[in-house]
Amino acid sequence: MGLIEAIILSVLAASTPLLLAATGELVTERSGVLNLGVEGMMIVGAACGFGGAWLSGSIIVGALCGMVAGILMSLIFALMALGLAVNQVATGLALTILGIGLSGLIGAGFVGERITPAPHLHIPGLSDIPLAGRILFGEDGFVYLSIALVVGVWWFLYRTRAGLILRACGDNHVSAHALGYPVLRIRLYAVMFGGACAGLAGAYLPLAYTPFFIPGMTAGRGWIALALTVFASWRPARLVVGAYLFGAVTILQLHAQGAGIGIPSQFMSSLPYLATIIVLVLLSRARTGGSTAPAALGTVFVPDR
Amino acid sequence: MQLVLEKRAERSATIALISPLIAIGLTIATLCIVFAVLGKNPIAALAVYFIDPLTDGYSLQEIAVKATPLVMIAIGLSLCYLANAWNIGAEGQFLIGAVAGSWLAVKTQGTDAGHWVLPAMLVLGAAAGALYALIPAICKVRFGASEILTSLMLVYVADLLLDYLVRGPWRDPQGFNFPTTAEFDPVATVPTLIEGGRLHLGSIIALFVVAAGAVLLGRTIKGFEIRVVGAAPRAARFGGFNANQLVLLTFAISGALAGLAGIIEVAGPVGHLQPGISPGYGFTAIIVAFLGRLNPIGILIAGLFLALTFIGGEQAQIAMKIPLDVTKVFQGILLFYVLACDSLILYRFRLISSSPKVQSGAH
Amino acid sequence: MKRTLFAAAAILLAGCINSGAWAADKLKVGFIYLGPVGDLGWTYQHELARQALVKELGDKIETTFLENVPEGPDAERAIEQLVRAGNKLIFTTSFGYMDPTLKVAKKYPNVHFEHCSGYKRDKNMSTYSARWYQGRYIQGLIAAKMSKAGVLGYIGSFPIPEVVSGINATMLGAQTINPNIKVKIIWVNSWFDPGKEADAAKALLDQGADMIMQHTDSPAAMQVSSERGKLAFGQDSEMIKFGPKAQLTSILDTWAPYYIERVKAELAGTWKSEDTWGGLESKMFEMAPYTNMPDDVKKMAEDTQAAIASGKLHPFKCPVVTQDGKDVECKGGDHLEDTQILGMNFYVKGIDDKLPGK
């Protein structure tokens, strides 16, 4: 296995949880809701996903448990932010605190256990093609699922009527409501989709990445996913670029160290964050006429009667 | 039948008063269930959380020490949020303030510098925090880059910078290479107020900050501008207020306060610069700001209350072996209830029969 | 209904008061933990030792712990809370608790403190740590024997002396077998981030290392090595579960004997402030069983372990040469002095990398 191929494979795996969580958050935000609780939903998804897989012996059951846990967490958020019109920033942060606590309580039962990680695909013939074979056909299923998910989301947002309505809710909920669309219900579905994705992203960590559960194992990836959504200026295609770019910088700085390039590791570690800021500034600069953020993002909506 | 929210014509003053009480009542009820499920005595557990820390001078001091940075940062953040500027990166500004102030402490170490050192450190900390906060503010005003993202990213950068400094250039020469500066000299240390206790001058400064915040928002034109820009941006434009200028101003103030809190924490309770000086103060302060309804007095109360739950959580671990995770769950639940009850100030519940879609032409 | 509730509450309260009185005459021993008790590494090993302590002396003592205590301004309060709850002997189990422990110790001269891995002491504050570098020397020998590529991958947490002396001891051990052995070092700037540790392990293997050594706390690197069919060494705890075919050995933190000894001393009234830096000779740490290696390598490892334990072999025996070719002053007779190891801030010859912060 060549070095380049190996690096690409590591980047694919490292980017997958980011991509999954960020895709969910993108849909949520496109509907006009800012859910900062991604980290909380992810870590509960990780605990429940591992628990499910450990008890059932099935990775798929584990992944489903993670998604259900993420949805349940997102419903708490929806109840607060949509049902009671509470400030979304505060609710999201509270959700993260709650999630960290809950995951510790849930996970206490199976700390120290291990499972067999999700298998890497192997399609005879295809997976054996040099270079491209392993990358295109030889990683674990979640990697390809995450890409399929982004494509699906792109198609939904830009090619379906429902997607158009969802974007309308995010851009101007008053008009969407006036046109007779159930703004709150649409947002509820979007928030639940975000929860399912975050739960799955969390579950990916103990199911495929490092097959055991440890409290706090998401280690801030939920926050990165949030950042990626903004970085991608709420566009699925840019999200893919952003997630892989972030994964690549993370992995490459490890490789640079291993190769003995003597730059302080703190500087290398800060590169992804600085790069994100610079790219964001450049992107914002290149755009004329304001931001592409959903116009109603983060604002509460209470239908008039 | 359907339960819907309906906007009240005006804020309900009654509910504004009783909503925190309802929230606390609901939290206590939920907690009792959680404790019972865990097999702990609910009454004793509640006493450990809420009553015991209030009954002795030591715990009261500790509550004040813990609340000091939270309140100071949250006051600054509330200004930002009122003006619709989303500073999520107070944690980074806190760290940069700590780093900048510590620079002077490290440079004057062992020299017989006079009592000007500590005030100069505080000024440096505040200035550095303000400058660091201006980075996302300028990126927003000048380039339209989202301040939520840039301010959050800068948290990680500040953390790594601090890490680099204490492991490299500023490392204590006598410290066996461990990642910390030497203990600061007495002239570079925030004095304590009570012999043998940890209550320090910073708590007094925090009270001044609360008072200043209240005056700024309630009694000055700038405060009025901040509130109008946030609440009614269009009206503010007609009024000729410069929204960009206010973004820069509120970011600078909140950065300065976070930086000040950072250097006070380092020169006070910690006594030297090291990695991990902040157990997430900058993020917790966001919650404090909202719990306090972005009101200075409210923030003071919210900060003290949240500090109480931290102290109570530790005492519950010691006295009743209640895991720390329960404290986190409890904090989360408490926040949810407080936020939910506060929503009743602006809205009321109405039960309506399922009606066909409302086709309102205009709004 | 009201009455039953009231009665129930009264019973619960009475139960609470009773249990309090029952425990009053036992010695209270407190612990401050850095991580969650379930971290599978550093804190987990301290927690296992606490449980062993309770098993051994449970009828005479009562233990309490505070977990997830950050090494910042909260530490001093957490320690003082334990003092105020009546604990008479308190173990603070991370380097960052050094200054907070010292401050509280000065304030409460009648309470005894035990601080793990620091260097500041007082009349009522001891320190304790383990000579893990001895174990790393043995690992270096095994690694050099088992590595086909002659390239070792080393995952570092932070470049503090404990970790740097571990890397040096590994290389000195390995060089006795293969003078041309190479090491690739990646710092992940965290004690605990399973995902990043796994990424680092992958990067090292991809760059041609065929052996992973780690100074971070999670079993992630072991698991990656196992998946790739490569060999690895564990850290802190037994990690063979995560790499049944990969783990060669692991350095096990075994604090239990020390904790039991110190608590016994406290019970007997003979506790005094000490500086304990124990190694293989006093079982301050142990090596996990040597697995996945041929018998001759296993025998060599066991012989080396015995030689170090008996004091015949010192991993830092002179001359120790730095990476730029200078001899290190030999302050301890025929080996480096303890303070030189405790403050180690250089790489030995043969490490082709730059020590961060230099």
mmCIF file of all heavy atoms in Angstrom, chain A residues 266-267 269-270 273, chain B residues 89 91-96 99 132 152-167 273-280 283, chain C residues 158 189:
data_model
loop_
_atom_site.group_PDB
_atom_site.id
_atom_site.type_symbol
_atom_site.label_atom_id
_atom_site.label_comp_id
_atom_site.label_asym_id
_atom_site.label_seq_id
_atom_site.Cartn_x
_atom_site.Cartn_y
_atom_site.Cartn_z
ATOM 1 N N GLN A 266 2.247 22.478 18.231
ATOM 2 C CA GLN A 266 1.090 23.334 18.511
ATOM 3 C C GLN A 266 0.734 24.175 17.295
ATOM 4 O O GLN A 266 -0.436 24.401 17.009
ATOM 5 C CB GLN A 266 1.376 24.277 19.690
ATOM 6 C CG GLN A 266 1.530 23.586 21.013
ATOM 7 C CD GLN A 266 2.977 23.299 21.334
ATOM 8 O OE1 GLN A 266 3.835 23.326 20.462
ATOM 9 N NE2 GLN A 266 3.257 23.007 22.584
ATOM 10 N N PHE A 267 1.789 24.621 16.579
ATOM 11 C CA PHE A 267 1.534 25.420 15.391
ATOM 12 C C PHE A 267 0.829 24.573 14.338
ATOM 13 O O PHE A 267 -0.154 24.998 13.725
ATOM 14 C CB PHE A 267 2.840 25.980 14.845
ATOM 15 C CG PHE A 267 2.661 26.752 13.577
ATOM 16 C CD1 PHE A 267 2.055 28.004 13.599
ATOM 17 C CD2 PHE A 267 3.065 26.235 12.359
ATOM 18 C CE1 PHE A 267 1.860 28.708 12.433
ATOM 19 C CE2 PHE A 267 2.866 26.924 11.188
ATOM 20 C CZ PHE A 267 2.272 28.170 11.214
ATOM 21 N N SER A 269 -0.959 21.946 14.872
ATOM 22 C CA SER A 269 -2.317 21.619 15.305
ATOM 23 C C SER A 269 -3.267 22.787 15.096
ATOM 24 O O SER A 269 -4.470 22.588 14.935
ATOM 25 C CB SER A 269 -2.325 21.238 16.789
ATOM 26 O OG SER A 269 -1.548 20.104 17.009
ATOM 27 N N SER A 270 -2.732 24.010 15.125
ATOM 28 C CA SER A 270 -3.629 25.157 14.976
ATOM 29 C C SER A 270 -3.918 25.455 13.509
ATOM 30 O O SER A 270 -4.795 26.256 13.193
ATOM 31 C CB SER A 270 -3.033 26.387 15.662
ATOM 32 O OG SER A 270 -1.904 26.821 14.956
ATOM 33 N N TYR A 273 -7.548 25.309 12.081
ATOM 34 C CA TYR A 273 -8.428 26.388 12.536
ATOM 35 C C TYR A 273 -8.102 27.686 11.813
ATOM 36 O O TYR A 273 -8.991 28.396 11.360
ATOM 37 C CB TYR A 273 -8.293 26.553 14.055
ATOM 38 C CG TYR A 273 -8.514 25.259 14.784
ATOM 39 C CD1 TYR A 273 -7.464 24.579 15.375
ATOM 40 C CD2 TYR A 273 -9.780 24.673 14.829
ATOM 41 C CE1 TYR A 273 -7.669 23.362 16.014
ATOM 42 C CE2 TYR A 273 -9.993 23.469 15.450
ATOM 43 C CZ TYR A 273 -8.926 22.810 16.046
ATOM 44 O OH TYR A 273 -9.134 21.609 16.652
ATOM 45 N N GLY B 89 -16.549 33.047 21.174
ATOM 46 C CA GLY B 89 -15.139 32.748 21.460
ATOM 47 C C GLY B 89 -14.586 33.389 22.718
ATOM 48 O O GLY B 89 -13.378 33.622 22.805
ATOM 49 N N GLU B 91 -13.927 32.120 25.418
ATOM 50 C CA GLU B 91 -12.908 31.235 25.994
ATOM 51 C C GLU B 91 -11.519 31.618 25.466
ATOM 52 O O GLU B 91 -10.553 31.682 26.218
ATOM 53 C CB GLU B 91 -13.247 29.789 25.619
ATOM 54 C CG GLU B 91 -12.281 28.754 26.135
ATOM 55 C CD GLU B 91 -12.583 28.311 27.549
ATOM 56 O OE1 GLU B 91 -13.554 28.803 28.152
ATOM 57 O OE2 GLU B 91 -11.821 27.491 28.069
ATOM 58 N N GLY B 92 -11.432 31.889 24.174
ATOM 59 C CA GLY B 92 -10.152 32.258 23.585
ATOM 60 C C GLY B 92 -9.682 33.617 24.071
ATOM 61 O O GLY B 92 -8.499 33.821 24.351
ATOM 62 N N GLN B 93 -10.601 34.551 24.193
ATOM 63 C CA GLN B 93 -10.241 35.888 24.680
ATOM 64 C C GLN B 93 -9.789 35.818 26.131
ATOM 65 O O GLN B 93 -8.869 36.531 26.548
ATOM 66 C CB GLN B 93 -11.453 36.824 24.499
ATOM 67 C CG GLN B 93 -11.788 37.055 23.026
ATOM 68 C CD GLN B 93 -13.277 37.055 22.752
ATOM 69 O OE1 GLN B 93 -14.083 37.329 23.635
ATOM 70 N NE2 GLN B 93 -13.659 36.728 21.521
ATOM 71 N N PHE B 94 -10.410 34.941 26.893
ATOM 72 C CA PHE B 94 -10.005 34.691 28.283
ATOM 73 C C PHE B 94 -8.547 34.217 28.322
ATOM 74 O O PHE B 94 -7.718 34.729 29.073
ATOM 75 C CB PHE B 94 -10.948 33.621 28.857
ATOM 76 C CG PHE B 94 -10.679 33.183 30.268
ATOM 77 C CD1 PHE B 94 -11.371 33.757 31.327
ATOM 78 C CD2 PHE B 94 -9.767 32.175 30.543
ATOM 79 C CE1 PHE B 94 -11.151 33.330 32.631
ATOM 80 C CE2 PHE B 94 -9.543 31.753 31.846
ATOM 81 C CZ PHE B 94 -10.238 32.335 32.890
ATOM 82 N N LEU B 95 -8.228 33.245 27.466
ATOM 83 C CA LEU B 95 -6.875 32.678 27.454
ATOM 84 C C LEU B 95 -5.849 33.713 27.003
ATOM 85 O O LEU B 95 -4.754 33.806 27.575
ATOM 86 C CB LEU B 95 -6.824 31.449 26.533
ATOM 87 C CG LEU B 95 -7.677 30.264 26.974
ATOM 88 C CD1 LEU B 95 -7.642 29.166 25.922
ATOM 89 C CD2 LEU B 95 -7.192 29.715 28.311
ATOM 90 N N ILE B 96 -6.187 34.480 25.961
ATOM 91 C CA ILE B 96 -5.238 35.482 25.466
ATOM 92 C C ILE B 96 -4.991 36.555 26.519
ATOM 93 O O ILE B 96 -3.866 37.014 26.724
ATOM 94 C CB ILE B 96 -5.767 36.111 24.153
ATOM 95 C CG1 ILE B 96 -5.642 35.098 23.017
ATOM 96 C CG2 ILE B 96 -5.025 37.377 23.820
ATOM 97 C CD1 ILE B 96 -4.226 34.751 22.629
ATOM 98 N N VAL B 99 -2.602 35.117 28.900
ATOM 99 C CA VAL B 99 -1.253 35.057 28.332
ATOM 100 C C VAL B 99 -0.592 36.434 28.356
ATOM 101 O O VAL B 99 0.547 36.588 28.811
ATOM 102 C CB VAL B 99 -1.302 34.515 26.885
ATOM 103 C CG1 VAL B 99 -0.002 34.782 26.155
ATOM 104 C CG2 VAL B 99 -1.605 33.026 26.890
ATOM 105 N N TYR B 132 -8.008 40.647 20.549
ATOM 106 C CA TYR B 132 -8.279 39.303 20.024
ATOM 107 C C TYR B 132 -9.739 39.190 19.584
ATOM 108 O O TYR B 132 -10.037 38.550 18.575
ATOM 109 C CB TYR B 132 -7.952 38.265 21.096
ATOM 110 C CG TYR B 132 -7.622 36.897 20.550
ATOM 111 C CD1 TYR B 132 -6.546 36.716 19.687
ATOM 112 C CD2 TYR B 132 -8.380 35.788 20.902
ATOM 113 C CE1 TYR B 132 -6.243 35.462 19.192
ATOM 114 C CE2 TYR B 132 -8.068 34.529 20.404
ATOM 115 C CZ TYR B 132 -7.003 34.368 19.554
ATOM 116 O OH TYR B 132 -6.692 33.128 19.065
ATOM 117 N N LEU B 152 -15.094 31.152 17.332
ATOM 118 C CA LEU B 152 -14.931 29.792 17.877
ATOM 119 C C LEU B 152 -13.581 29.203 17.469
ATOM 120 O O LEU B 152 -12.873 28.596 18.280
ATOM 121 C CB LEU B 152 -16.072 28.903 17.370
ATOM 122 C CG LEU B 152 -16.087 27.465 17.883
ATOM 123 C CD1 LEU B 152 -16.292 27.441 19.382
ATOM 124 C CD2 LEU B 152 -17.168 26.649 17.206
ATOM 125 N N MET B 153 -13.190 29.395 16.212
ATOM 126 C CA MET B 153 -11.912 28.849 15.741
ATOM 127 C C MET B 153 -10.746 29.448 16.534
ATOM 128 O O MET B 153 -9.773 28.768 16.862
ATOM 129 C CB MET B 153 -11.698 29.174 14.260
ATOM 130 C CG MET B 153 -12.642 28.495 13.304
ATOM 131 S SD MET B 153 -12.353 26.727 13.160
ATOM 132 C CE MET B 153 -13.704 26.097 14.094
ATOM 133 N N LEU B 154 -10.860 30.739 16.852
ATOM 134 C CA LEU B 154 -9.759 31.413 17.547
ATOM 135 C C LEU B 154 -9.582 30.882 18.974
ATOM 136 O O LEU B 154 -8.529 31.070 19.583
ATOM 137 C CB LEU B 154 -9.988 32.925 17.555
ATOM 138 C CG LEU B 154 -9.731 33.579 16.183
ATOM 139 C CD1 LEU B 154 -10.207 35.018 16.181
ATOM 140 C CD2 LEU B 154 -8.255 33.520 15.823
ATOM 141 N N VAL B 155 -10.596 30.216 19.513
ATOM 142 C CA VAL B 155 -10.446 29.594 20.834
ATOM 143 C C VAL B 155 -9.329 28.557 20.782
ATOM 144 O O VAL B 155 -8.435 28.527 21.627
ATOM 145 C CB VAL B 155 -11.759 28.914 21.283
ATOM 146 C CG1 VAL B 155 -11.527 28.119 22.567
ATOM 147 C CG2 VAL B 155 -12.846 29.941 21.486
ATOM 148 N N TYR B 156 -9.372 27.716 19.741
ATOM 149 C CA TYR B 156 -8.381 26.643 19.637
ATOM 150 C C TYR B 156 -6.987 27.227 19.427
ATOM 151 O O TYR B 156 -6.006 26.729 19.960
ATOM 152 C CB TYR B 156 -8.747 25.696 18.495
ATOM 153 C CG TYR B 156 -10.082 25.040 18.675
ATOM 154 C CD1 TYR B 156 -11.213 25.504 18.011
ATOM 155 C CD2 TYR B 156 -10.230 23.963 19.538
ATOM 156 C CE1 TYR B 156 -12.453 24.910 18.193
ATOM 157 C CE2 TYR B 156 -11.459 23.359 19.724
ATOM 158 C CZ TYR B 156 -12.558 23.833 19.043
ATOM 159 O OH TYR B 156 -13.780 23.245 19.226
ATOM 160 N N VAL B 157 -6.922 28.295 18.635
ATOM 161 C CA VAL B 157 -5.628 28.908 18.364
ATOM 162 C C VAL B 157 -5.030 29.470 19.664
ATOM 163 O O VAL B 157 -3.854 29.265 19.971
ATOM 164 C CB VAL B 157 -5.776 30.014 17.299
ATOM 165 C CG1 VAL B 157 -4.446 30.704 17.071
ATOM 166 C CG2 VAL B 157 -6.302 29.421 15.999
ATOM 167 N N ALA B 158 -5.867 30.148 20.459
ATOM 168 C CA ALA B 158 -5.382 30.716 21.720
ATOM 169 C C ALA B 158 -4.890 29.617 22.656
ATOM 170 O O ALA B 158 -3.843 29.732 23.303
ATOM 171 C CB ALA B 158 -6.505 31.514 22.391
ATOM 172 N N ASP B 159 -5.643 28.543 22.703
ATOM 173 C CA ASP B 159 -5.296 27.421 23.564
ATOM 174 C C ASP B 159 -3.925 26.866 23.196
ATOM 175 O O ASP B 159 -3.076 26.600 24.054
ATOM 176 C CB ASP B 159 -6.377 26.342 23.388
ATOM 177 C CG ASP B 159 -6.340 25.326 24.511
ATOM 178 O OD1 ASP B 159 -5.992 25.725 25.631
ATOM 179 O OD2 ASP B 159 -6.653 24.156 24.250
ATOM 180 N N LEU B 160 -3.687 26.722 21.884
ATOM 181 C CA LEU B 160 -2.417 26.157 21.431
ATOM 182 C C LEU B 160 -1.271 27.143 21.644
ATOM 183 O O LEU B 160 -0.144 26.729 21.951
ATOM 184 C CB LEU B 160 -2.533 25.753 19.957
ATOM 185 C CG LEU B 160 -3.427 24.527 19.761
ATOM 186 C CD1 LEU B 160 -3.908 24.408 18.326
ATOM 187 C CD2 LEU B 160 -2.690 23.257 20.163
ATOM 188 N N LEU B 161 -1.539 28.433 21.507
ATOM 189 C CA LEU B 161 -0.500 29.436 21.753
ATOM 190 C C LEU B 161 -0.049 29.382 23.211
ATOM 191 O O LEU B 161 1.155 29.346 23.511
ATOM 192 C CB LEU B 161 -1.027 30.838 21.413
ATOM 193 C CG LEU B 161 -0.077 31.973 21.795
ATOM 194 C CD1 LEU B 161 1.164 31.944 20.905
ATOM 195 C CD2 LEU B 161 -0.745 33.334 21.700
ATOM 196 N N LEU B 162 -1.028 29.344 24.112
ATOM 197 C CA LEU B 162 -0.701 29.260 25.538
ATOM 198 C C LEU B 162 0.141 28.004 25.797
ATOM 199 O O LEU B 162 1.157 28.035 26.502
ATOM 200 C CB LEU B 162 -1.994 29.204 26.340
ATOM 201 C CG LEU B 162 -1.923 29.301 27.867
ATOM 202 C CD1 LEU B 162 -3.270 29.764 28.400
ATOM 203 C CD2 LEU B 162 -1.556 28.010 28.537
ATOM 204 N N ASP B 163 -0.307 26.909 25.210
ATOM 205 C CA ASP B 163 0.382 25.638 25.369
ATOM 206 C C ASP B 163 1.842 25.740 24.921
ATOM 207 O O ASP B 163 2.760 25.318 25.621
ATOM 208 C CB ASP B 163 -0.350 24.606 24.506
ATOM 209 C CG ASP B 163 -0.065 23.207 24.959
ATOM 210 O OD1 ASP B 163 -0.725 22.764 25.897
ATOM 211 O OD2 ASP B 163 0.839 22.570 24.376
ATOM 212 N N TYR B 164 2.040 26.370 23.757
ATOM 213 C CA TYR B 164 3.395 26.511 23.216
ATOM 214 C C TYR B 164 4.270 27.331 24.171
ATOM 215 O O TYR B 164 5.407 26.977 24.464
ATOM 216 C CB TYR B 164 3.329 27.171 21.840
ATOM 217 C CG TYR B 164 4.665 27.627 21.330
ATOM 218 C CD1 TYR B 164 5.600 26.703 20.879
ATOM 219 C CD2 TYR B 164 5.005 28.973 21.336
ATOM 220 C CE1 TYR B 164 6.834 27.110 20.436
ATOM 221 C CE2 TYR B 164 6.246 29.391 20.891
ATOM 222 C CZ TYR B 164 7.163 28.456 20.443
ATOM 223 O OH TYR B 164 8.390 28.862 20.027
ATOM 224 N N LEU B 165 3.712 28.442 24.681
ATOM 225 C CA LEU B 165 4.508 29.344 25.523
ATOM 226 C C LEU B 165 4.943 28.674 26.822
ATOM 227 O O LEU B 165 6.100 28.780 27.222
ATOM 228 C CB LEU B 165 3.709 30.621 25.825
ATOM 229 C CG LEU B 165 3.526 31.550 24.629
ATOM 230 C CD1 LEU B 165 2.559 32.668 24.958
ATOM 231 C CD2 LEU B 165 4.876 32.114 24.196
ATOM 232 N N VAL B 166 4.012 27.992 27.494
ATOM 233 C CA VAL B 166 4.393 27.430 28.793
ATOM 234 C C VAL B 166 5.239 26.166 28.652
ATOM 235 O O VAL B 166 5.895 25.750 29.598
ATOM 236 C CB VAL B 166 3.185 27.131 29.695
ATOM 237 C CG1 VAL B 166 2.510 28.406 30.119
ATOM 238 C CG2 VAL B 166 2.202 26.213 29.031
ATOM 239 N N ARG B 167 5.225 25.546 27.472
ATOM 240 C CA ARG B 167 6.102 24.390 27.279
ATOM 241 C C ARG B 167 7.451 24.807 26.722
ATOM 242 O O ARG B 167 8.398 24.046 26.741
ATOM 243 C CB ARG B 167 5.460 23.382 26.326
ATOM 244 C CG ARG B 167 4.347 22.644 26.966
ATOM 245 C CD ARG B 167 3.646 21.715 26.005
ATOM 246 N NE ARG B 167 2.288 21.494 26.459
ATOM 247 C CZ ARG B 167 1.975 20.724 27.478
ATOM 248 N NH1 ARG B 167 2.900 20.061 28.121
ATOM 249 N NH2 ARG B 167 0.738 20.597 27.873
ATOM 250 N N LEU B 273 0.948 30.657 35.153
ATOM 251 C CA LEU B 273 0.310 30.308 33.880
ATOM 252 C C LEU B 273 0.596 28.843 33.569
ATOM 253 O O LEU B 273 1.731 28.382 33.699
ATOM 254 C CB LEU B 273 0.851 31.193 32.753
ATOM 255 C CG LEU B 273 0.104 31.088 31.424
ATOM 256 C CD1 LEU B 273 -1.304 31.628 31.553
ATOM 257 C CD2 LEU B 273 0.849 31.827 30.326
ATOM 258 N N GLN B 274 -0.416 28.110 33.186
ATOM 259 C CA GLN B 274 -0.268 26.690 32.845
ATOM 260 C C GLN B 274 -1.366 26.332 31.859
ATOM 261 O O GLN B 274 -2.339 27.081 31.734
ATOM 262 C CB GLN B 274 -0.395 25.832 34.110
ATOM 263 C CG GLN B 274 -1.784 25.973 34.749
ATOM 264 C CD GLN B 274 -2.089 24.908 35.788
ATOM 265 O OE1 GLN B 274 -1.324 24.724 36.691
ATOM 266 N NE2 GLN B 274 -3.205 24.224 35.622
ATOM 267 N N PRO B 275 -1.241 25.218 31.144
ATOM 268 C CA PRO B 275 -2.348 24.809 30.288
ATOM 269 C C PRO B 275 -3.558 24.470 31.163
ATOM 270 O O PRO B 275 -3.399 24.102 32.330
ATOM 271 C CB PRO B 275 -1.831 23.549 29.598
ATOM 272 C CG PRO B 275 -0.368 23.532 29.816
ATOM 273 C CD PRO B 275 -0.114 24.279 31.073
ATOM 274 N N GLY B 276 -4.727 24.585 30.618
ATOM 275 C CA GLY B 276 -5.919 24.181 31.361
ATOM 276 C C GLY B 276 -6.319 25.144 32.453
ATOM 277 O O GLY B 276 -6.903 24.739 33.449
ATOM 278 N N ILE B 277 -6.004 26.448 32.312
ATOM 279 C CA ILE B 277 -6.409 27.391 33.349
ATOM 280 C C ILE B 277 -7.904 27.638 33.317
ATOM 281 O O ILE B 277 -8.462 28.130 34.274
ATOM 282 C CB ILE B 277 -5.677 28.743 33.230
ATOM 283 C CG1 ILE B 277 -5.751 29.229 31.794
ATOM 284 C CG2 ILE B 277 -4.266 28.652 33.727
ATOM 285 C CD1 ILE B 277 -5.406 30.663 31.634
ATOM 286 N N SER B 278 -8.554 27.336 32.213
ATOM 287 C CA SER B 278 -9.991 27.559 32.172
ATOM 288 C C SER B 278 -10.744 26.255 32.007
ATOM 289 O O SER B 278 -10.590 25.581 31.004
ATOM 290 C CB SER B 278 -10.359 28.475 31.010
ATOM 291 O OG SER B 278 -11.758 28.441 30.817
ATOM 292 N N PRO B 279 -11.553 25.899 32.986
ATOM 293 C CA PRO B 279 -12.425 24.729 32.794
ATOM 294 C C PRO B 279 -13.658 25.123 31.993
ATOM 295 O O PRO B 279 -14.778 24.911 32.417
ATOM 296 C CB PRO B 279 -12.783 24.320 34.228
ATOM 297 C CG PRO B 279 -12.624 25.555 35.042
ATOM 298 C CD PRO B 279 -11.678 26.479 34.334
ATOM 299 N N GLY B 280 -13.442 25.748 30.844
ATOM 300 C CA GLY B 280 -14.563 26.107 29.972
ATOM 301 C C GLY B 280 -15.353 27.320 30.413
ATOM 302 O O GLY B 280 -16.537 27.433 30.103
ATOM 303 N N PHE B 283 -17.392 29.225 27.692
ATOM 304 C CA PHE B 283 -18.618 28.604 27.189
ATOM 305 C C PHE B 283 -19.712 28.621 28.249
ATOM 306 O O PHE B 283 -20.874 28.898 27.953
ATOM 307 C CB PHE B 283 -18.331 27.176 26.721
ATOM 308 C CG PHE B 283 -17.401 27.121 25.557
ATOM 309 C CD1 PHE B 283 -16.115 26.643 25.693
ATOM 310 C CD2 PHE B 283 -17.805 27.588 24.318
ATOM 311 C CE1 PHE B 283 -15.250 26.621 24.621
ATOM 312 C CE2 PHE B 283 -16.950 27.566 23.236
ATOM 313 C CZ PHE B 283 -15.664 27.079 23.386
ATOM 314 N N PHE C 158 2.723 14.829 25.653
ATOM 315 C CA PHE C 158 3.339 16.139 25.789
ATOM 316 C C PHE C 158 4.820 15.942 26.057
ATOM 317 O O PHE C 158 5.196 15.006 26.761
ATOM 318 C CB PHE C 158 2.717 16.899 26.959
ATOM 319 C CG PHE C 158 1.264 17.197 26.793
ATOM 320 C CD1 PHE C 158 0.321 16.513 27.531
ATOM 321 C CD2 PHE C 158 0.839 18.153 25.893
ATOM 322 C CE1 PHE C 158 -1.027 16.787 27.387
ATOM 323 C CE2 PHE C 158 -0.505 18.432 25.745
ATOM 324 C CZ PHE C 158 -1.436 17.747 26.491
ATOM 325 N N ASN C 189 -0.421 16.071 21.604
ATOM 326 C CA ASN C 189 -0.811 17.171 22.498
ATOM 327 C C ASN C 189 -2.080 16.882 23.266
ATOM 328 O O ASN C 189 -2.944 17.746 23.416
ATOM 329 C CB ASN C 189 -0.959 18.484 21.715
ATOM 330 C CG ASN C 189 0.385 19.118 21.489
ATOM 331 O OD1 ASN C 189 1.236 19.125 22.374
ATOM 332 N ND2 ASN C 189 0.604 19.613 20.293
#
